[in-house]
Amino acid sequence: MGHAPLPDSGFLQDWAARLRQAAERPVVGILLRGSHARRAATAHSDVDLDVLVGGAPYAARRAYLAESAGQVTHVSVAARDVRSWVHRLGEPADWAFGLPVTAPARLLWADPHWRPRIDLPVLCQPAEPPRLEELIATLGKAAAARVANDRLGVRLAVADLARLCPSVLRPANPSVRVHSRRAAFAAALELPVAPPGYRADMLLCLGLRPGATGQLWAAAVRLVAGTLPLVRPYAEEIAEAAGADLAAALVDGRLDRYVAQLARPAGPRPQPRRERSPVPAPRAGELATVPVPDPPVTGVPSDPNEAVTPARPSRLDPAIAAMLRRSPDGLVAAVVRAHDSGEVLMVAWMDDEALHRTLTTGRATYWSRSRREYWVKGATSGHHQYVRSVALDCDGDALLVSVDQVGAACHTGHRTCFFTELPVTTPEALP
């Protein structure tokens, strides 16, 4: 369908004058918003107007059907006192999935005193803070509804959960701004750093794909369980919104254990066993997203007499783990190159869990030998690495990681760590 032209100036000015006359309070400005302001309207698009008035806090909505040249147009009017309208520009938009907003606007008329403050070519609103606490609480509501066999309650809760998820994932993703609810929805579905199966699970939870209640519940668990490791490097930002204890729980694993607890199958609680296998057999009906109590340890040498540092627990696919040939401390060298140019950027180390996180999050994750901890490239510097591919060499002792590099790869600020040229002496040809 083709775009409709912007309503002509006569139509808009006529409505501006009409609204000023009909207003219950002194009007200080009238703005055109929405698809017509973006020049993206169709023949069926509403005309969205903001009428700003003086006086005490006030808000009202009116709707009109205006007929001009045989065409009936829906005119939607939002009236608000100008001070609260300006204040709202500093708050997140409730329709934007937690993302920041930049929406075009067009001033139709303004009082000279207020014109400098409201004559804005775009209306900008900030992103929501990461709503991790609400995300966890909503999963708890879905779990309670599931135990009560309240199918409608499960569907309502997981839909709310899906709307919260993009705000929690936002710190781990490149910045994006949206101008409409449709654009916000599209951006929320296409976040590059997201749990495996994220788009399909979002559509399922939002009710845009058919699914049984059990499928929706499993999708909600996958969304939350997959989001936690991705946002763990941003615990400080989360602490500002949700408090220090929840941020600490994100880092120390309590949140993961709580999600696993919620994800256990509904029904009588199993009696504790005296002994437990390191890798327990799955119980009937158990969700695949529930971590086993004792994760499998990969990278352990087959020779028990070999003096090595014990490997760390990992969720790496055992088939991939079997192909790795590790150093005595359980590590594999990772050569990092730019995906577009092939330029070698840096060399770091990965153990099995770092490789698992790299493969499943799309963010380059390494093991620091000096700090004895995992680190996500760019988590503190902002110089992120978005993984495009990972290849294993023929001996299994080195990885080739192709990335989209944001900023410098080297901690010194250089694009690549290999900026120091060494002299090379070429021997003369033998007789």
Side-chain angles (χ1 to χ4, degrees):
M1 181 181 296
H3 294 321
L6 192 71
D8 60 65
S9 297
F11 177 91
L12 294 174
Q13 294 302 328
D14 176 67
W15 268 93
R18 178 175 173 178
L19 293 170
R20 286 157 54 196
Q21 293 172 1
E24 302 172 0
R25 302 180 179 216
V27 177
V28 299
I30 300 176
L31 293 95
L32 176 69
R33 298 183 302 102
S35 58
H36 283 289
R38 299 195 306 272
R39 300 186 181 274
T42 71
H44 305 294
S45 296
D46 301 342
V47 174
D48 297 301
L49 299 173
D50 273 2
V51 177
L52 310 181
V53 301
Y58 166 82
R61 300 193 73 84
R62 299 286 187 272
Y64 304 88
L65 291 178
E67 190 166 6
S68 177
Q71 177 75 21
V72 178
T73 302
H74 176 210
V75 180
S76 178
V77 178
R80 179 173 289 274
D81 67 283
V82 64
R83 288 178 174 82
S84 68
W85 182 87
V86 171
H87 177 74
R88 284 189 70 193
L89 294 181
E91 299 178 344
D94 56 9
W95 48 263
F97 286 87
L99 303 175
V101 173
T102 302
R106 175 182 168 187
L107 184 66
L108 300 181
W109 178 88
D111 177 274
H113 173 75
W114 280 97
R115 178 179 290 274
R117 296 186 63 181
I118 64 175
D119 190 3
L120 305 172
V122 292
L123 304 180
C124 297
Q125 292 180 262
E128 279 186 334
R131 297 175 64 184
L132 179 61
E133 194 277 333
E134 291 93 333
L135 185 74
I136 298 299
T138 306
L139 183 65
K141 291 178 182 178
R146 174 171 168 263
V147 171
N149 200 27
D150 178 3
R151 297 180 181 180
L152 180 58
V154 171
R155 290 180 181 273
L156 291 173
V158 300
D160 290 341
L161 183 148
R163 284 187 283 269
L164 289 166
C165 203
S167 82
V168 180
L169 286 168
R170 183 188 53 78
N173 279 275
S175 178
V176 61
R177 287 187 170 271
V178 297
H179 54 72
S180 67
R181 186 178 184 183
R182 178 66 181 84
F185 179 58
L189 288 181
E190 299 300 332
L191 294 178
V193 181
Y198 167 78
R199 180 186 174 90
D201 286 340
M202 285 283 289
L203 292 173
L204 191 60
C205 288
L206 289 168
L208 299 177
R209 283 188 177 175
T213 308
Q215 292 174 307
L216 269 68
W217 165 248
V221 172
R222 285 194 297 267
L223 284 175
V224 178
T227 293
L228 296 183
L230 299 180
V231 300
R232 194 165 283 126
Y234 306 94
E236 290 184 7
E237 183 173 345
I238 288 171
E240 295 177 5
D245 185 73
L246 191 69
L250 174 64
V251 173
D252 64 27
R254 276 179 289 153
L255 267 183
D256 299 85
R257 294 193 294 275
Y258 180 63
V259 171
Q261 175 181 301
L262 292 176
R264 291 184 187 127
R269 181 175 297 181
Q271 294 298 318
R273 294 173 294 179
R274 294 183 179 179
E275 296 182 358
R276 182 173 62 185
S277 169
V279 183
R283 299 187 295 273
E286 184 169 15
L287 294 170
T289 51
V290 181
V292 294
D294 295 313
V297 176
T298 55
V300 178
S302 58
D303 182 1
N305 296 319
E306 186 177 358
V308 298
T309 302
R312 288 159 290 278
S314 172
R315 295 162 291 172
L316 183 65
D317 184 339
I320 297 176
M323 295 188 288
L324 298 180
R325 185 178 178 183
R326 305 165 190 83
S327 67
D329 50 358
L331 301 175
V332 173
V335 180
V336 185
R337 69 176 179 180
H339 176 74
D340 53 357
S341 66
E343 178 186 21
V344 177
L345 300 174
M346 57 179 280
V347 175
W349 295 93
M350 291 185 184
D351 66 356
D352 289 40
E353 177 62 14
L355 177 56
H356 167 76
R357 297 183 188 185
T358 298
L359 294 173
T360 58
T361 68
R363 296 289 297 276
T365 305
Y366 307 104
W367 174 255
S368 171
R369 294 177 296 175
S370 58
R371 299 192 304 272
R372 309 295 298 171
E373 66 181 12
Y374 296 104
W375 59 284
V376 179
K377 180 65 176 177
T380 56
S381 68
H383 297 162
H384 303 286
Q385 288 178 348
Y386 298 103
V387 179
R388 298 293 295 270
S389 66
V390 179
L392 183 64
D393 83 334
C394 57
D395 292 325
D397 58 0
L399 298 161
L400 182 61
V401 185
S402 296
V403 302
D404 289 329
Q405 175 70 49
V406 177
C410 184
H411 73 283
T412 63
H414 288 79
R415 165 72 178 175
T416 171
C417 293
F418 298 94
F419 57 86
T420 303
E421 294 285 344
L422 300 179
V424 176
T425 302
T426 305
E428 297 181 359
L430 296 175

